[in-house]
Amino acid sequence: QYNLALVKIYIERAKGEMNRGNEDEGLKYQNNAMEFAQSAQNSSANSVVVQETAAAVYRDLSEGDDGYNQLSLKAFSLARALEPANPVILTELGQRYYFAKKYDEAEKSFRQSLAIKKDYRLAELRLAKILAAQNKNDEALAILQKLSSETNDANAYYELGLLYFNDNKLEDAQNAFNTAVTLSPLNSNALYGLALTLEKTGETEKALYYLKKIQRMNPTNSEIITKIKSLEAKK
């Protein structure tokens, strides 16, 4: 408990320093958090709470499939072994497998989670994403249509729009992205999806409107800046 308490303190300090632009101090506190998380794991290896907390710390420090993701995957695996019927742990483990591009393992974890808790929306959404990543589009589409009809989750509509976009069903994609933006006006992923769809249908002015909206939220995003210049050159 002592180690876990220090982990939480150092994580909060790291976030504070990072937000103030003090990257070196932030990294120092991140390393402190890592050390105490590992100490907690070493001293209480058979504690689900310890393994799950450590896994969450590593998860929050990871960017894709890096060393932190691998540590998180290992810790969530240990937590799953200790508590195999916990749908939250199974879903988190599936997401770590997803970032590690171990799609079969990810799909298995999400399905196990849903076998325990059938209405676990997060597991359903992540299962749909992993199915789409494996080109199992029919099942992914069925899940996303169900989720979007039953919930007002902008993420479900975004993933639905992405699936339609990749299948070149542009009208359906635009409708889905529009709904996502309506539900979550600052959702940059949905805004970008909508802009790309509008560009593909020849509605350049509208596409630029949404791209510039994203730029106001993320003024240093080089991909958005380049995309705006490209579209403006076509006008």
Side-chain angles (χ1 to χ4, degrees), residues 182-193:
T182 300
L183 292 169
S184 181
L186 301 182
N187 187 320
S188 57
N189 286 332
L191 288 165
Y192 191 58

Side-chain angles (χ1 to χ4, degrees), residues 108-126:
K108 181 180 177 182
S109 290
F110 295 138
R111 290 191 188 280
Q112 287 174 338
S113 176
L114 288 167
I116 296 164
K117 187 178 180 182
K118 292 181 180 179
D119 61 346
Y120 193 8
R121 305 298 190 196
L122 182 59
E124 285 186 287
L125 182 61
R126 289 180 174 175

Side-chain angles (χ1 to χ4, degrees), residues 219-232:
T220 60
N221 188 310
S222 59
E223 183 180 353
I224 298 300
I225 293 169
T226 301
K227 191 69 180 173
I228 289 172
K229 287 180 179 178
S230 173
L231 283 187
E232 287 181 333

Side-chain angles (χ1 to χ4, degrees), residues 52-222:
E52 191 174 3
T53 302
V57 170
Y58 306 141
R59 175 201 65 200
D60 293 343
L61 296 176
S62 69
E63 295 181 6
D65 185 29
D66 53 15
Y68 289 125
N69 185 59
Q70 292 301 316
L71 287 171
S72 184
L73 199 161
K74 182 179 179 181
F76 274 126
S77 295
L78 291 169
R80 187 266 311 272
L82 293 166
E83 198 170 300
N86 186 318
V88 175
I89 291 174
L90 285 164
T91 299
E92 289 287 355
L93 179 60
Q95 190 71 348
R96 295 304 102 202
Y97 278 128
Y98 171 77
F99 283 117
K101 294 182 172 58
K102 295 181 178 180
Y103 295 148
D104 288 342
E105 292 294 332
E107 181 181 340
K108 181 180 177 182
S109 290
F110 295 138
R111 290 191 188 280
Q112 287 174 338
S113 176
L114 288 167
I116 296 164
K117 187 178 180 182
K118 292 181 180 179
D119 61 346
Y120 193 8
R121 305 298 190 196
L122 182 59
E124 285 186 287
L125 182 61
R126 289 180 174 175
L127 175 59
K129 287 182 67 171
I130 201 71
L131 290 169
Q134 298 176 94
N135 295 317
K136 299 177 181 179
N137 290 346
D138 289 344
E139 187 179 0
L141 180 61
I143 293 171
L144 291 170
Q145 287 176 331
K146 171 180 171 291
L147 276 176
S148 58
S149 67
E150 293 176 351
T151 69
N152 284 323
D153 185 350
N155 292 318
Y157 279 100
Y158 166 71
E159 294 296 339
L160 184 61
L162 198 59
L163 198 61
Y164 282 134
F165 181 85
N166 290 333
D167 201 26
N168 208 37
K169 296 178 179 178
L170 299 182
E171 184 178 351
D172 290 329
Q174 185 173 337
N175 289 336
F177 287 136
N178 262 323
T179 304
V181 169
T182 300
L183 292 169
S184 181
L186 301 182
N187 187 320
S188 57
N189 286 332
L191 288 165
Y192 191 58
L194 181 55
L196 292 183
T197 305
L198 290 166
E199 178 194 7
K200 241 184 171 182
T201 59
E203 298 181 76
T204 305
E205 287 294 341
K206 287 184 179 179
L208 277 168
Y209 169 81
Y210 288 110
L211 287 170
K212 288 177 180 178
K213 187 172 182 178
I214 300 169
Q215 188 184 31
R216 288 194 293 274
M217 295 187 291
N218 304 282
T220 60
N221 188 310
S222 59

